[in-house]
Amino acid sequence: MDLVTFYDDYWRDKPDIFDQTRLDIVASYVGQGENVLAVDCGPGVLARQLADKGNRVTGVDMSHVAVGRARERGIEAHQVDLDSAPLPFAAETFDTVVSDSGLEHRYFFDKALDECVRVLKPGGRLVLLLPNMAHWRCRWWLLTGRFPYVRNSPTDLTHLRFFTLAEARGLLKARRVRIVRTDGSASLWVPGLYPFFLRWPGLRQTYTWLARHWPSLFARDFIAIGVKQ
């Protein structure tokens, strides 16, 4: 399958509706006045948010359509298919690299991760968000002999690769990136992943707290914040 064509069609039809809570968590790990790269930036919603904090933000995405939408938001964006080409930047260019829910959509996620680390300055920060295949609901599905493909969950049909926080630790350690903090996004709005009562007031706040403090079990997406050695 031609992923570039697939994601051109995907972004052509997808409205600007995003999980703002998740974007806010990711953005909280990016400072101000930094040179930031947003990898797999999509239509540039998070990139715009980071730029509005006072950062110089560059975006890349495999989709021509997504890149065009990011540019309409005033983001310098480049079309790059990291499965087949490197990032068009010199080594050690960026203070922070953000990869928000992108590696799971790639054939060769290891190449994309290598490139993220290559362009990051020593001492720079990598903010990596990935769907959590060790989520308690996924564990229950597997324990009961099931693997349902649930939209917007860690088993979404668009995901080609699957990750846990433990695996991410190993991937980053092998690339000399030291994890200094972890976090998680619950995304309780996802139907099919959560019982409806977890969206009730009180339970929602409690579960969100659990997802941020024990992301490997409770978060739909875990976030690893690492520093390049």
Side-chain angles (χ1 to χ4, degrees):
M1 176 184 289
D2 179 354
L3 288 183
V4 173
T5 300
F6 177 88
Y7 281 104
D8 276 346
D9 292 338
Y10 176 87
W11 287 116
R12 188 176 291 113
D13 297 332
K14 184 176 175 60
D16 284 343
I17 300 174
F18 296 90
D19 185 340
Q20 188 59 51
T21 300
R22 185 189 78 181
L23 298 185
D24 288 344
I25 295 173
V26 173
S28 72
Y29 291 105
V30 179
Q32 297 178 327
E34 297 183 353
N35 191 14
V36 178
L37 176 65
V39 178
D40 298 313
C41 67
V45 174
L46 177 59
R48 183 67 263 165
Q49 185 171 342
L50 298 177
D52 289 343
K53 289 182 66 175
N55 296 294
R56 176 186 175 189
V57 181
T58 304
V60 296
D61 199 277
M62 72 171 76
S63 165
H64 300 274
V65 174
V67 165
R69 288 171 63 179
R71 289 173 177 168
E72 290 174 358
R73 286 189 162 88
I75 300 299
E76 177 189 336
H78 305 264
Q79 192 278 327
V80 184
D81 181 3
L82 287 173
D83 278 337
S84 58
L87 289 168
F89 312 111
E92 303 179 2
T93 296
F94 295 95
D95 302 304
T96 299
V97 173
V98 177
S99 177
D100 174 22
S101 192
L103 296 184
E104 70 274 17
H105 299 282
R106 298 194 167 279
Y107 293 128
F108 305 113
F109 72 88
D110 50 340
K111 290 183 179 180
L113 190 54
D114 286 342
E115 283 297 288
C116 289
V117 176
R118 180 184 67 81
V119 300
L120 186 62
K121 294 178 180 178
R125 178 171 292 193
L126 174 64
V127 182
L128 176 65
L129 181 145
L130 290 167
N132 176 29
M133 195 58 208
H135 187 282
W136 66 267
R137 193 66 181 266
C138 297
R139 299 187 195 203
W140 175 249
W141 287 336
L142 291 171
L143 186 64
T144 57
R146 302 172 60 220
F147 193 92
Y149 291 98
V150 176
R151 186 178 180 184
N152 295 315
S153 85
T155 63
D156 190 284
L157 273 171
T158 64
H159 296 173
L160 303 180
R161 300 289 182 260
F162 301 94
F163 301 92
T164 68
L165 181 54
E167 300 309 317
R169 288 184 185 276
L171 290 168
L172 294 182
K173 182 179 179 180
R175 291 161 173 82
R176 299 182 61 81
V177 175
R178 177 174 59 90
I179 293 181
V180 295
R181 185 163 179 177
T182 60
D183 206 332
S185 172
S187 297
L188 286 169
W189 56 270
V190 178
L193 183 63
Y194 293 106
F196 70 93
F197 57 80
L198 288 179
R199 291 187 280 274
W200 291 351
L203 287 179
R204 172 188 291 272
Q205 287 81 359
T206 299
Y207 191 94
T208 298
W209 185 90
L210 289 170
R212 298 200 65 178
H213 287 79
W214 286 282
S216 64
L217 182 59
F218 294 105
R220 183 195 70 160
D221 303 290
F222 63 82
I223 306 168
I225 300 93
V227 173
K228 182 177 178 179
Q229 303 300 291

